[in-house]
Amino acid sequence: MPESSNWTHLHAQLHRTLLQRQILPSNQRLLVAVSGGQDSLCALKLLLDLQPKWGWNLAIVHCDHGWRSDSQSNANHVENLAKNWGISYYLQTASDILKTEAAARQWRYQALIEIAIAHNYPYIVTGHTASDRAETLLYNLIRGSGADGLSALTWTRPLFDFRLPILDFRLGNSDANHNSQMSADFRLGNSDANHNSQISANFRSDNLDQNPKSKIQNLKSKIYLVRPLLEITRSQTGQFCQDQKLPIWEDSTNQDLQYARNRIRSQLLPYLETHFNPKAQQALAQTAELLRADVEYLELAATELLQRAISPIADNEQVKIQLPVKLNRQTLRDAPLALQRRAMRQVLQRILPCAPSFEHVEKLTSLIAAANRSQTDPFPGGAIARVENPWIAIGI
């Protein structure tokens, strides 16, 4: 792409990243999540400037949680940006006040998926940066996490899979925001802080047919979440917005120290940069990137182990698990503990109505070497695992 007077280091960096990682194919419809803050504005402007080269069809989506008195003004501000840049704008407003960060995150991703399906956008782009990745690593480390949590915020991941048997998918169903039951038919990754999170699929496919704007039949088999700025820090996005004279909407909740992530951002990371490493954000983000490759390899190895251990033996990578389940203990016993745990977690992900905890995984893993007739207490949903040599049998 020929350079122009507006071609900056960040333009070149993002262009190079997209060429190397192939995370946003050319000539695709991209739905860009824009809060109005510096990170999302930076992402949007960079994508707009790269659009002639890549041939994308861009649109903005804004999610209004209704938390702040100025949230409507914030939404209007983003809408005006879309009008000024001549791109489509979609707004999703929460019908009820979301009381926790986790509830807001769940609602937000559900809202993004609804808009993507209704308007045929196979890629949802967010402005997460290396700074977000560093904060997430610290947040999960402090809470107690394995490599999965520490490698959170991946470059890309599927948000929705049309190949799964979704029976209840409704666009605009506010009841979905309240449903705490997690469906095994619909996987949503909770901002990658917990890859095992699942969200209820409270949508109906018949509503899609009634929506004349829906082009669901033309979508790919999956909707992908893409984070193209993971090598760019928050200080860089702020400088870019200043240089480009982009109108940032300051979110007052970002200064509220009752939120743990804000304390990490405003207190912990600056302390680490002052007293330990001036490039702590980049170093932590790099650690997350290294761990991500390890996690992907271990998950594949655990899936292969599970294929061999489950009865009847799975004949493809998509191991289908339904109660009752029988697992060969000797096959599992021969594997390293790291793979045992991951295989047991994969089983629990498919049979529990919620994300399995560390305690759930350890409880099931302990049966690999336990005495015959040993059994667990009930898991959430009522399933019980017991040793029936040479098997671990899991059923209701």
Side-chain angles (χ1 to χ4, degrees):
M1 180 175 181
E3 297 187 9
S4 68
S5 57
N6 291 325
W7 186 256
T8 68
H9 169 71
L10 288 194
H11 287 93
Q13 183 174 353
L14 178 58
H15 186 58
R16 183 170 59 251
T17 294
L18 296 179
L19 287 172
Q20 291 174 347
R21 295 188 176 274
Q22 296 295 305
I23 52 178
L24 285 177
S26 59
N27 303 311
Q28 291 292 335
R29 293 171 60 82
L30 312 184
L31 185 63
V32 186
V34 178
S35 66
Q38 65 182 56
D39 295 342
S40 60
L41 277 188
C42 176
L44 177 63
K45 182 63 166 63
L46 288 171
L47 293 173
L48 279 170
D49 291 345
L50 291 173
Q51 186 178 27
K53 171 65 176 178
W54 290 84
W56 298 310
N57 184 321
L58 297 174
I60 290 175
V61 59
H62 178 77
C63 295
D64 181 359
H65 299 87
W67 275 350
R68 311 186 319 269
S69 59
D70 66 347
S71 65
Q72 182 59 59
S73 298
N74 187 175
N76 293 339
H77 174 75
V78 177
E79 183 177 12
N80 287 333
L81 288 174
K83 289 179 180 177
N84 291 338
W85 278 324
I87 57 180
S88 299
Y89 170 77
Y90 305 102
L91 171 66
Q92 198 83 330
T93 304
S95 58
D96 297 290
I97 298 298
L98 303 163
K99 297 181 180 180
T100 67
E101 288 182 273
R105 187 180 304 113
Q106 177 175 307
W107 170 80
R108 185 166 61 250
Y109 279 105
Q110 180 173 293
L112 293 174
I113 291 170
E114 291 183 6
I115 296 295
I117 289 177
H119 302 282
N120 194 27
Y121 290 97
Y123 293 92
I124 298 171
V125 183
T126 66
H128 290 98
T129 64
S131 303
D132 292 300
R133 211 175 194 186
E135 292 163 10
T136 301
L137 184 150
L138 289 172
Y139 179 73
N140 288 337
L141 179 63
I142 293 167
R143 294 170 64 210
S145 174
D148 295 56
L150 300 183
S151 63
L153 295 188
T154 57
W155 289 93
T156 182
R157 65 183 176 88
L159 270 184
F160 188 88
D161 192 337
F162 288 103
R163 297 172 299 180
L164 296 176
I166 308 304
L167 300 178
D168 188 18
F169 193 102
R170 174 169 299 177
L171 290 176
N173 181 0
S174 61
D175 293 339
N177 300 333
H178 307 295
N179 195 333
S180 61
Q181 287 298 317
M182 304 296 187
S183 166
D185 292 335
F186 179 60
R187 175 128 337 152
L188 182 62
N190 190 354
S191 191
D192 289 2
N194 184 342
H195 295 286
N196 309 323
S197 295
Q198 294 172 342
I199 185 172
S200 173
N202 285 320
F203 314 129
R204 285 196 191 279
S205 58
D206 54 3
N207 263 30
L208 294 174
D209 296 333
Q210 297 167 12
N211 184 349
K213 295 182 180 180
S214 176
K215 300 177 181 178
I216 188 171
Q217 67 274 13
N218 295 326
L219 279 170
K220 291 186 172 185
S221 61
K222 295 180 181 180
I223 293 176
Y224 289 91
L225 176 72
V226 181
R227 302 182 178 105
L229 303 190
L230 289 184
E231 291 177 335
I232 296 171
T233 65
R234 186 171 294 112
S235 61
Q236 288 178 294
T237 65
Q239 186 63 51
F240 179 85
C241 290
Q242 182 178 332
D243 294 343
Q244 300 287 318
K245 296 181 172 55
L246 301 179
I248 299 171
W249 187 276
E250 297 292 349
D251 184 347
S252 58
T253 61
N254 287 337
Q255 309 305 318
D256 190 342
L257 295 184
Q258 70 172 316
Y259 298 114
R261 289 180 181 274
N262 289 346
R263 292 197 299 276
I264 291 172
R265 177 179 304 172
S266 63
Q267 296 179 342
L268 180 54
L269 270 174
Y271 182 86
L272 294 175
E273 290 173 332
T274 300
H275 297 284
F276 293 94
N277 182 354
K279 294 186 177 182
Q281 293 185 47
Q282 294 93 324
L284 291 168
Q286 183 182 63
T287 297
E289 181 69 13
L290 293 171
L291 286 171
R292 171 48 40 190
D294 294 345
V295 166
E296 290 174 353
Y297 170 77
L298 289 171
E299 280 296 296
L300 286 174
T303 299
E304 293 173 357
L305 172 62
L306 191 55
Q307 285 178 274
R308 300 195 308 271
I310 198 167
S311 177
I313 296 175
D315 58 0
N316 58 66
E317 293 183 3
Q318 298 296 324
V319 180
K320 296 182 179 180
I321 299 176
Q322 295 179 335
L323 294 178
V325 178
K326 297 181 76 173
L327 304 170
N328 187 287
R329 294 209 300 161
Q330 187 58 55
T331 301
L332 295 168
R333 192 181 293 123
D334 292 341
L337 178 58
L339 295 186
Q340 291 178 4
R341 284 175 169 153
R342 287 183 177 274
M344 295 301 93
R345 191 180 67 176
Q346 289 184 14
V347 172
L348 293 174
Q349 285 173 353
R350 290 165 171 81
I351 66 174
L352 298 189
C354 60
S357 67
F358 174 78
E359 289 74 19
H360 295 150
V361 174
E362 289 298 282
K363 186 165 58 176
L364 185 56
T365 303
S366 68
L367 293 187
I368 295 174
N372 193 31
R373 299 183 181 178
S374 299
Q375 71 175 46
T376 66
D377 56 343
F379 290 96
I384 294 176
R386 59 179 59 85
V387 178
E388 298 175 357
N389 273 337
W391 308 102
I392 296 174
I394 310 173
I396 299 294

